[in-house]
Structures are given as C-alpha cells and as structure tokens.
Amino acid sequence: MKKIAFLVLAILLCSVVLSSCAQKTIPQSESQEVAAGNSANEGSVSVKNDVTEAEPGHEITKESEDGGQGTGGGPEDFERYYPDALFDSYILSKIVTWDEIYAAEDALLSENAYFYNEQLPPLYLMIRQLHISKEDFVRVNTETKEINAERNSEQDVYSDAQIELLFGNHDIETIQSTLKLDTAFLYGGKLYTIYELSALDSPQLKEMASKGDLDQYLNNLHVLAENENHASRKLLTDSAAAIKAKLET
C-alpha cells in the first residue's frame, strides 16, 4: 500500500515539474516563431507597406493582384463589371493625398451611392473627380513598374491601352466593352453580371440572343470557367446552362 501511495505521489510530482517546464518553454517557442516569421518577411515589409500604407477604411481597395480580365477569385468577384485594378485608388495616392482621395469618394458617393459598381470603372470616375492628368498618371505608373521589377512585387500597373481609355475622349460603350471583365456582358449600352443575367426573364434573354452576342458570351463562359477554382467554375457553368435553358423555352 505504501509503495502504491509513493508511486502516485511520484507521478504527481513529475506532472507538476513537467507542467512548470512547459509553461516556461512555450513563450520562448512562440517568440522564436515570431522572430523567424519576421526574419522571413524582412525583405518584403517595405513592399507591403508601399501597397497598403495609409489606406484604413479605404472603399476602393486593392483586393487581388489580377492583371487580366478574368477573376481568379471567388464567386463574389462576378458581382463586378471590371477587374480589381480598376477599383484600386492606390496609384492615385502617389499623385494626391489620401484626404483628397477620401473627399473625392465622398463626393461621388453623394451623387451616386452605387458608383463603386457603376457602369463606368470607379478608377475612371476618381481620375476625373480629382482632375488627375495623364502625364502624372503615366509617370507614377512607370515608377510602379520599376518598383515591381526591382522588388519582385505586384502592385497594380496599367497598360498603354488601359491608360488611353481612362484618359482619352472615348464614348462610354467603348470604355465598357474594352475594360470590362470577360464575365460581364454588354448589351444595349448596359453591363450585366452573370448574376444579373441569370435573374432576367426568358423574353429578355431571347432578345439579347437575337440582337446581341449572348450565345457567344455563354459559350465563352465555359472557356473562362476552366481557369477558375471549383466554386467559381461551377457557378459559371451552371449559370450558363440555366440561361441556355431559358432561351430554349
């Protein structure tokens, strides 16, 4: 009996010692992990700050590094008419202050609460609201390309064709058709997301098919879906099938 009691006591003492050691070593382990993480990211801190600094509460924000006309994101990305770069005001902060950018956003919102997802790109509207010159935009765009090359970063930059459409004297439909996402459909001077198209009645869709290129658009969705993740691929293919079914009724 004494041997059993001694054994139990020994086990309890060992448990206390081990627990105490664990409590002492956990903070050190966590500290090492944080230090390692900081060390691993040390070379990229300045790049990250270049992208996100001074943007708290910013509405037109950077959501992905997508330079194409697809999305490469989730199904929520199909709620937009334009790629992420045309929602990003960061490049404008190299020309004007963030206070001026926020004031411009407020002014546009006071005129149209939906300007973030309007028929024209938000960046296009912000450029005009802030009276940004093409020369200044080209200058900072070139500087950003150089930063991307030097630091292997991926800040949004714009092609000559995009800049021409953002600053040139073009009609709205030309801007829409050229800058829109491939997943957005243009008909009669109006852009539609896949969600908006799916909600339309059969007669409206049939009119779009007879007077526009809706059939080609639906076929293209299957090609675009191949480059999307599973959820986005399913949404695009299912939506295309549902719209085609309405066209056949």
Side-chain angles (χ1 to χ4, degrees), residues 74-98:
E76 67 278 2
D77 292 334
F78 304 131
E79 296 175 0
R80 293 182 168 190
Y81 302 128
Y82 297 99
D84 288 342
L86 298 182
F87 289 82
D88 184 12
S89 285
Y90 175 66
I91 193 169
L92 303 183
S93 71
K94 299 181 178 184
I95 303 171
V96 298
T97 67
W98 280 109

Side-chain angles (χ1 to χ4, degrees), residues 146-174:
E146 293 171 353
I147 290 172
N148 284 346
E150 292 171 1
R151 304 181 182 180
N152 195 28
S153 58
E154 295 182 336
Q155 298 177 37
D156 280 329
V157 291
Y158 303 84
S159 67
D160 291 343
Q162 286 177 312
I163 293 173
E164 173 56 32
L165 286 164
L166 288 171
F167 287 90
N169 185 23
H170 301 282
D171 62 87
I172 292 176
E173 194 159 340
T174 297

